[in-house]
Amino acid sequence: MNQPSTQIISAPLTQVRDLVKHFPIKGSDDVVKAVDGVSFDIKEGETLGLVGESGCGKSTVGRCILRLHEPTSGEVVFEGKNIIGLPDREMQLLRREMQIIFQDPYASLNPRLSILSIVSEPLKIHGVSSKKEREDRVADLLSKVGLDPKYMHRYPHEFSGGQRQRIGIARALALNPKLIICDEPVSALDVSVQAQVVNLLQDLQQEFGLTYLFISHGLAVVEHISNRVAVMYLGKIVELADSVELYKNPLHPYTKALLSAIPVPDPTAKRDRIVLKGDVPTPINPPSGCRFRTRCPFAIEECSAVVPELREYRPGHFSACIRIEELNDIQ
């Protein structure tokens, strides 16, 4: 795989502040606390990786940024404007700048529509009325993602999983967006195809100056494509750092456990695997204090009473744990 570009513009394109998304449970007063106070910036031109176990809330974060889910509270600031609460008309215009690549290339494409109709639909919605213009744009987009333009009259069932995901990428690019939410875009693909799609995303980023939020539980993939990485656990971010720094010098016990589980190609290599005890608690009634404490090998009594803040312990390296200094010998 290609290495991520280091040419990053410092200004944030998107700012997420205290984002909360609770889903009510029908017939109950309880709620699912899918996202519970998440804050981070996405710098223009970068790829920010968002990782964590299934069910930690990372996909919900991406969908809240696009307002596919309406946040319970918090702010999402895109190019200086808080988009939460924007009227529908203004939000529709803004959607030209913010798109998504869905996880499942089998479910995200309408089987009744041709590829031409699928990829050109955003163009029709946003006022490109000329059929010839739409066909030319679709042909160009298919070429950009490595597909023959003559395939535009075929249907999704005629393509492999990797080809379908390329079609999904072409659809996301149709309106020349600035921000693309990549919601686990390679997790449903074979490993060899994953590398091809990741390299394609990097090439398109360079060509069009795109900004990505790359959501995944594949830590090896995130390492290759991301400039910075945020780690989520049970609705909260527990660590955020430059990709190289995070993978070499993780601070949070949860991050260390995740990284210890990455497979290595050498079967003779010895490594200290950190096996976490128990299961992820329910987001309906998460643990008090630190949410990771019920599985943390270093938890103390104070962890049940104190909600750890995401603090900067090294330049650009943030973590949320009250024992960071003693566990990592930080002066």
Side-chain angles (χ1 to χ4, degrees):
M1 297 183 185
N2 299 330
Q3 290 298 313
S5 169
T6 56
Q7 301 299 315
I8 303 300
I9 301 173
S10 59
L13 178 70
T14 304
Q15 298 169 289
V16 178
R17 294 289 177 265
D18 298 318
L19 185 67
V20 173
K21 179 58 182 177
H22 293 171
F23 293 97
I25 299 174
K26 189 174 181 179
S28 171
D29 293 331
D30 292 330
V31 295
V32 176
K33 299 175 181 178
V35 179
D36 211 19
V38 164
S39 299
F40 58 85
D41 293 343
I42 308 174
K43 299 175 183 177
E44 187 173 354
E46 80 165 339
T47 299
L48 175 65
L50 186 60
V51 302
E53 292 171 281
S54 295
C56 71
K58 54 190 186 296
S59 291
T60 303
V61 168
R63 289 167 184 257
C64 285
I65 290 174
L66 299 178
R67 284 184 61 192
L68 298 179
H69 292 322
E70 286 293 342
T72 303
S73 64
E75 294 185 348
V76 176
V77 179
F78 182 79
E79 293 190 316
K81 177 184 290 188
N82 183 14
I83 69 172
I84 305 303
L86 278 184
D88 291 345
R89 178 57 182 164
E90 288 187 51
M91 194 63 213
Q92 181 176 333
L93 293 174
L94 191 62
R95 292 195 191 283
R96 298 177 67 101
E97 311 289 346
M98 309 165 72
Q99 292 292 312
I100 185 170
I101 301 168
F102 293 99
Q103 175 180 359
D104 188 351
Y106 296 91
S108 63
L109 305 180
N110 190 330
R112 296 176 179 270
L113 299 181
S114 69
I115 302 312
L116 172 60
S117 297
I118 289 171
V119 178
S120 66
E121 187 173 19
L123 301 171
K124 293 173 66 176
I125 291 172
H126 288 273
V128 179
S129 56
S130 166
K131 181 178 179 181
K132 179 66 165 59
E133 283 184 80
R134 293 199 300 267
E135 287 193 5
D136 289 345
R137 177 62 174 159
V138 171
D140 179 59
L141 288 168
L142 291 179
S143 296
K144 295 291 187 186
V145 300
L147 295 175
D148 193 322
K150 69 183 180 183
Y151 293 165
M152 72 171 68
H153 298 292
R154 296 185 180 182
Y155 288 80
H157 74 271
E158 300 178 75
F159 296 89
S160 68
Q163 289 173 322
R164 293 187 201 192
Q165 197 59 292
R166 290 172 185 266
I167 294 165
I169 293 170
R171 177 176 58 186
L173 290 172
L175 295 169
N176 293 315
K178 295 180 180 178
L179 173 67
I180 296 182
I181 307 297
C182 304
D183 187 9
E184 304 200 37
V186 298
S187 64
L189 306 177
D190 293 339
V191 174
S192 60
V193 180
Q194 286 184 14
Q196 296 172 15
V197 172
V198 167
N199 286 339
L200 171 64
L201 289 171
Q202 290 180 307
D203 292 341
L204 293 171
Q205 183 177 43
Q206 292 295 311
E207 182 173 354
F208 296 108
L210 300 170
T211 302
Y212 293 146
L213 175 64
F214 192 91
I215 300 167
S216 179
H217 56 254
L219 294 167
V221 174
V222 169
E223 180 181 13
H224 281 285
I225 196 171
S226 301
N227 302 102
R228 292 186 302 137
V229 177
V231 181
M232 278 193 75
Y233 183 81
L234 206 60
K236 289 185 175 290
I237 290 180
V238 298
E239 189 154 3
L240 173 63
D242 175 86
S243 177
V244 174
E245 167 69 11
L246 184 133
Y247 279 80
K248 285 187 176 180
N249 302 300
L251 294 178
H252 198 280
Y254 178 62
T255 307
K256 293 178 180 180
L258 286 182
L259 296 183
S260 76
I262 299 177
V264 293
D266 183 0
T268 64
K270 294 183 179 180
R271 58 188 310 181
D272 295 325
R273 175 74 192 276
I274 303 172
V275 180
L276 298 177
K277 60 185 178 181
D279 297 321
V280 179
T282 172
I284 298 174
N285 186 26
S288 62
C290 175
R291 295 191 173 186
F292 183 58
R293 66 177 176 80
T294 58
R295 303 174 71 199
C296 180
F298 307 106
I300 56 177
E301 185 176 349
E302 189 179 356
C303 295
S304 65
V306 178
V307 178
E309 296 181 3
L310 193 66
R311 292 175 49 200
E312 187 172 20
Y313 290 93
R314 296 171 180 153
H317 194 155
F318 299 80
S319 191
C321 174
I322 62 173
R323 303 193 67 193
I324 288 292
E325 289 96 338
E326 57 182 299
L327 295 177
N328 295 278
D329 195 26
I330 295 176
Q331 303 299 320

